[in-house]
Amino acid sequence: MNEVVDNNIKKKKSFLKERIMRFKIVALIKRNLPLSSFLFLLMLSFLFGFWDVRKYELYDLGGGVVSEGISSSVSKYLKENVTGENFFLLNLSSLEKDLYLDIPKLKSVRIEKVAPNKLVLFLETFDEKYVAYLRDQKCYLLAQEGIVLDSICEDEEVGKECCKQYAIDNSLTYFFSEKVEPSIFEDDKDRLLIMEEVGKIVKVVEKFNYRIKRIVLNEEIVELYDEGDRIFRFTISADIDTQLKRFIVVAGKVNSEEMDFSSLDLRFERPVMRE
């Protein structure tokens, strides 16, 4: 009697197994077992966070060493906004833009993915060029392009003097103006727009070995003071390129003839030089 019951149970199990094996999905899995196994393991890897971004490496595009300040800022941003994100879903273009906007000293960012969970970042940074005390009575650290890299000397009582001294201590050019202040942008870096013109002047003047230590912008007049206290005077109300052409002609003659002067005014068709 028991043997008959056992046989019936075995038949039922066998029938049930055959019915299950006839299901299309089961048959499909059986026919594609390697692929099915791969997909199953892949699903498990997602569930257990195997593809979650956890590692990153930083490199300087110029071949140098990434500064401690930049490294710290980038690392903090990645830990707060990227760590744990899915490797495949991470949008690199969006991340590059966000990093560029969030960290003022970053000039450019390029990011590559390395499976399964690492990012490699190639960074280019702005060089510090100016220390500027402006209309809002604040002191700013600027790049050659006028990009605002940082706010410094935030104690209002000594802000202006601190600003001057910071420029001296760090061999930077001091810029002073009571007429301008940085422009704030939502989708770009904050910048002092006038420095696009002023920076062009400085770049050309310093090509002739005049190291500019101080710049004063008063109304539309730009005065550059070099280490020998010589003054180079331009105006932003007229074409800068024309004035620079005048400067190049005069500076070339001055250097060739070893002429000495105290000021050079390029605002006029005939530049005015004073001894």
Side-chain angles (χ1 to χ4, degrees), residues 178-191:
E178 295 180 334
K179 301 297 181 180
V180 296
E181 61 187 26
S183 297
I184 310 302
F185 299 95
E186 290 186 3
D187 58 349
D188 204 346
K189 293 182 183 292
D190 301 340
R191 66 186 69 205

Side-chain angles (χ1 to χ4, degrees), residues 81-204:
N81 300 279
V82 178
T83 299
E85 293 293 315
N86 182 271
F87 180 85
F88 297 104
L89 299 181
L90 190 63
N91 186 318
L92 293 188
S93 296
S94 178
L95 177 57
E96 288 170 350
K97 182 178 180 180
D98 291 344
L99 271 169
Y100 169 80
L101 293 177
D102 191 77
I103 303 174
K105 291 186 178 181
L106 283 183
K107 189 173 187 178
S108 68
V109 185
R110 180 167 60 86
I111 305 176
E112 296 179 359
K113 292 179 179 179
V114 178
N117 54 19
K118 184 168 74 173
L119 299 179
V120 179
L121 292 84
F122 300 92
L123 312 174
E124 183 180 8
T125 57
F126 287 106
D127 292 327
E128 300 172 355
K129 176 64 178 179
Y130 306 103
V131 177
Y133 192 77
L134 305 175
R135 179 172 61 189
D136 56 6
Q137 298 185 342
K138 292 182 180 180
C139 184
Y140 300 93
L141 187 61
L142 306 177
Q144 173 81 41
E145 300 83 352
I147 302 296
V148 177
L149 304 180
D150 202 358
S151 293
I152 56 178
C153 300
E154 296 183 341
D155 187 337
E156 293 183 5
E157 293 183 4
V158 296
K160 188 175 181 179
E161 295 306 315
C162 172
C163 211
K164 288 181 181 178
Q165 193 59 47
Y166 187 95
I168 294 171
D169 292 344
N170 293 276
S171 299
L172 301 173
T173 302
Y174 177 68
F175 179 89
F176 173 77
S177 177
E178 295 180 334
K179 301 297 181 180
V180 296
E181 61 187 26
S183 297
I184 310 302
F185 299 95
E186 290 186 3
D187 58 349
D188 204 346
K189 293 182 183 292
D190 301 340
R191 66 186 69 205
L192 184 60
L193 296 177
I194 192 63
M195 297 311 293
E196 293 180 11
E197 297 292 326
V198 175
K200 184 188 297 185
I201 296 171
V202 173
K203 190 174 182 179
V204 173

Side-chain angles (χ1 to χ4, degrees), residues 233 260-264 272-275:
R233 193 172 288 113
D260 195 16
F261 65 95
S262 62
S263 68
L264 180 59
V272 178
M273 180 186 294
R274 299 188 184 278
E275 294 182 359

Side-chain angles (χ1 to χ4, degrees), residues 6-50:
D6 289 342
N7 288 334
N8 287 336
I9 291 174
K10 289 179 180 179
K11 287 180 180 180
K12 288 180 179 180
K13 287 183 177 179
S14 177
F15 175 76
L16 182 61
K17 181 179 179 181
E18 289 178 3
R19 288 292 301 272
I20 292 174
M21 295 301 291
R22 288 197 189 103
F23 288 147
K24 290 183 178 180
I25 185 65
V26 175
L28 182 63
I29 291 173
K30 186 177 180 181
R31 287 198 302 270
N32 299 276
L33 189 59
L35 177 60
S36 300
S37 301
F38 170 77
L39 293 176
F40 177 71
L41 292 174
L42 183 63
M43 182 179 67
L44 287 180
S45 72
F46 279 108
L47 290 175
F48 287 100
F50 182 74

